[in-house]
Amino acid sequence: MFSFAAVGALLCATLALSAPASPPSTPQGGVGLEQFPSYTITSDFDFASVNLALNQEYIELDLFHHILAVFSEDEFKAAGLDAEDLFLIEYMADQEAGHAILLSNMLGPTAAKQCNYTYPFDSVRDAIDFCQKLTRFGESGVYGFLEHLDNRASAELLLQSITTEARQQMVFRQFEGLFPMPVYFETGITQSMAWTLLSQYISHCPAENPRIQWQNFPGLYIANDPTQGALALEVTPAITHNLSVPLTTPGQQVDLIWEDSGKAVGPDGLYTTTTTAGGPKYAAWIAQLNITYTPLFNITHNFASTHQPIGDVFGPNTAPIVNDTIFVLITDDNPHVTPANLSLLNAHVVAGPAIYQAG
Ligand SMILES: *[C@@H]1O[C@H](CO)[C@@H](O)[C@H](O)[C@H]1NC(C)=O
Ligand SMILES: *[C@@H]1O[C@H](CO)[C@@H](O)[C@H](O)[C@H]1NC(C)=O
Ligand SMILES: *[C@@H]1O[C@H](CO)[C@@H](O)[C@H](O)[C@H]1NC(C)=O
Ligand SMILES: *[C@@H]1O[C@H](CO)[C@@H](O)[C@H](O)[C@H]1NC(C)=O
Ligand SMILES: *[C@@H]1O[C@H](CO)[C@@H](O)[C@H](O)[C@H]1NC(C)=O
Ligand SMILES: *[C@@H]1O[C@H](CO)[C@@H](O)[C@H](O)[C@H]1NC(C)=O
């Protein structure tokens, strides 16, 4: 026996369950929440930025294949890298091919094609060190502009590729036997800073490739380069190593040499270095969240010395601001800039960046 009341109650409960619930209210704010995002790049700023990133993806693709082609398995073995490590490098090349397809699709039919490159190494250890540095400025070069892109939809896709590149950078540090990530924050640099570094390694491009729109600053070199210390370390590949001796120490003297502007650089020498800065006064160190200046001393025409900054990101016993593979430039002034207005530093760059391998 069942009562109509019970049936009625059941029916009501069923109706209540199947009635469309109103969605929880969406918090106000947010950008780029369109229903139909378009990943096509339209603004000049986005095109020029992603064009730079595509050229970076291409060199990585070529570089990873190149090192697998030029060194023998025995040479890799002597550097502590076995067949499985080499497969990982091959897989990283595949990732780069995927990134190049993604960025080309976003840029459309005028997207750049692969170029020819020149590499500064002749041993496995030097090659791994170069990969670690190239992926560092590839990664930091994108962080510098990612949050400034007009199109948030394509920024999302670019983020999803650069996150993979960040992992590659760390693997190369591990292959080199270094501490994998001696920082709290991965730093960003401007497009012009990234292009100044990247253009040194591109020798020739197809004539139809869109021109890179960013500035090339005069070259900067570290005369007493701490990289030599990294390359001399008797360490083997590992997930992590505590280095018994840090590569550099806060306060140590750093000697810098730079070029005059007006030099033909980049693919086919089609680019020219320029500066809008006045005379050299400071070294600017870009690392973690910090843009730190140290005064230059003993300044002659194209040579000066300075001291590695002392200080931690959030005060004593946090991360030293200078650690990892970081960037140093010569500037004519010490404007207060932060990660989101770093491009205001471009006008003050006399030369650089150079890569400084501190830890
Ligand atoms: C130059 O790059 C193109 C495209 O990647 C490649 O096919 C060609 O072999 C390269 N030439 C040299 C000399 O490396
Ligand atoms: C760099 O970081 C590592 C790991 O945290 C630390 O052991 C080392 O002392 C740091 N280097 C400098 C120069 O402070
Ligand atoms: C690694 O370095 C840290 C920081 O200098 C230190 O506290 C720790 O004891 C070291 N560990 C080993 C196993 O060497
Ligand atoms: C100053 O620079 C000159 C080279 O221009 C160098 O020979 C000299 O050792 C430097 N002095 C100091 C204190 O670094
Ligand atoms: C580094 O940046 C952080 C965050 O902006 C700031 O709090 C800190 O004072 C800076 N450290 C130095 C040594 O400039
Ligand atoms: C950059 O932004 C910071 C705030 O984050 C501000 O204090 C600083 O004045 C700005 N720099 C310039 C050159 O305007």
Side-chain angles (χ1 to χ4, degrees):
M1 280 297 287
F2 57 88
S3 71
F4 284 109
V7 172
L10 192 66
L11 203 63
C12 284
T14 310
L15 281 176
L17 279 178
S18 61
S22 55
S25 68
T26 304
Q28 285 300 301
V31 292
L33 293 164
E34 300 90 358
Q35 184 179 1
F36 301 110
S38 164
Y39 298 94
T40 303
I41 279 165
T42 51
S43 81
D44 290 349
F45 182 91
D46 286 16
F47 191 94
S49 301
V50 177
N51 183 31
L52 173 65
L54 176 59
N55 276 272
Q56 176 81 32
E57 302 292 0
Y58 280 142
I59 193 174
E60 287 162 6
L61 170 58
D62 185 85
L63 172 64
F64 301 160
H65 281 150
H66 177 82
I67 62 173
L68 292 174
V70 297
F71 299 113
S72 67
E73 279 197 30
D74 286 345
E75 287 170 294
F76 279 110
K77 201 164 281 172
L81 299 173
D82 65 18
E84 287 168 306
D85 297 319
L86 301 191
F87 175 73
L88 179 55
I89 296 175
E90 180 61 49
Y91 193 74
M92 291 190 215
D94 296 345
Q95 293 173 328
E96 294 308 330
H99 298 171
I101 293 169
L102 173 76
L103 301 196
S104 299
N105 288 346
M106 297 194 316
L107 289 163
T110 62
K113 304 284 187 296
Q114 246 194 307
C115 300
N116 297 107
Y117 307 96
T118 166
Y119 298 120
F121 53 76
D122 50 23
S123 71
V124 169
R125 207 167 158 75
D126 286 2
I128 298 297
D129 185 67
F130 181 70
C131 290
Q132 180 263 120
K133 292 185 165 125
L134 186 93
T135 49
R136 159 54 53 239
F137 66 75
E139 188 190 345
S140 292
V142 169
Y143 295 150
F145 70 71
L146 190 60
E147 294 306 313
H148 299 296
L149 291 174
D150 290 306
N151 185 339
R152 305 315 299 160
S154 38
E156 171 73 36
L157 299 187
L158 184 55
L159 173 66
Q160 288 175 261
S161 51
I162 217 62
T163 303
T164 302
E165 187 153 327
R167 294 170 186 210
Q168 296 174 350
Q169 201 276 341
M170 195 178 87
V171 168
F172 284 118
R173 282 187 66 90
Q174 291 170 316
F175 280 173
E176 202 176 350
L178 300 174
F179 194 77
M181 42 177 175
V183 287
Y184 290 0
F185 304 100
E186 304 301 336
T187 204
I189 55 174
T190 67
Q191 296 97 332
S192 295
M193 294 172 192
W195 176 228
T196 297
L197 291 167
L198 172 61
S199 60
Q200 298 172 16
Y201 307 108
I202 307 181
S203 52
H204 167 76
C205 290
E208 65 274 18
N209 272 14
R211 195 175 163 82
I212 305 275
Q213 302 290 336
W214 306 102
Q215 191 173 356
N216 293 80
F217 298 120
L220 173 66
Y221 306 93
I222 300 167
N224 51 352
D225 186 357
T227 294
Q228 297 318 313
L231 295 174
L233 288 169
E234 297 284 326
V235 289
T236 46
I239 289 176
T240 187
H241 265 301
N242 255 13
L243 298 184
S244 49
V245 187
L247 297 179
T248 71
T249 46
Q252 85 172 46
Q253 182 171 327
V254 179
D255 300 328
L256 301 160
I257 307 170
W258 60 95
E259 294 170 350
D260 288 326
S261 61
K263 183 182 170 188
V265 292
D268 306 293
L270 288 173
Y271 297 80
T272 306
T273 60
T274 59
T275 172
T276 56
K281 286 209 184 81
Y282 296 93
W285 305 77
I286 305 181
Q288 309 234 22
L289 299 178
N290 296 84
I291 295 92
T292 311
Y293 301 93
T294 54
L296 299 176
F297 60 92
N298 197 16
I299 306 173
T300 59
H301 175 56
N302 285 49
F303 177 94
S305 298
T306 192
H307 293 290
Q308 179 179 320
I310 302 171
D312 292 344
V313 174
F314 292 125
N317 301 320
T318 64
I321 29 178
V322 175
N323 209 334
D324 205 347
T325 303
I326 68 141
F327 304 96
V328 59
L329 301 100
I330 301 288
T331 60
D332 67 350
D333 198 2
N334 58 349
H336 175 57
V337 287
T338 55
N341 66 3
L342 180 62
S343 63
L344 296 174
L345 189 61
N346 283 340
H348 296 284
V349 174
V350 174
I355 287 184
Y356 184 77
Q357 191 165 342

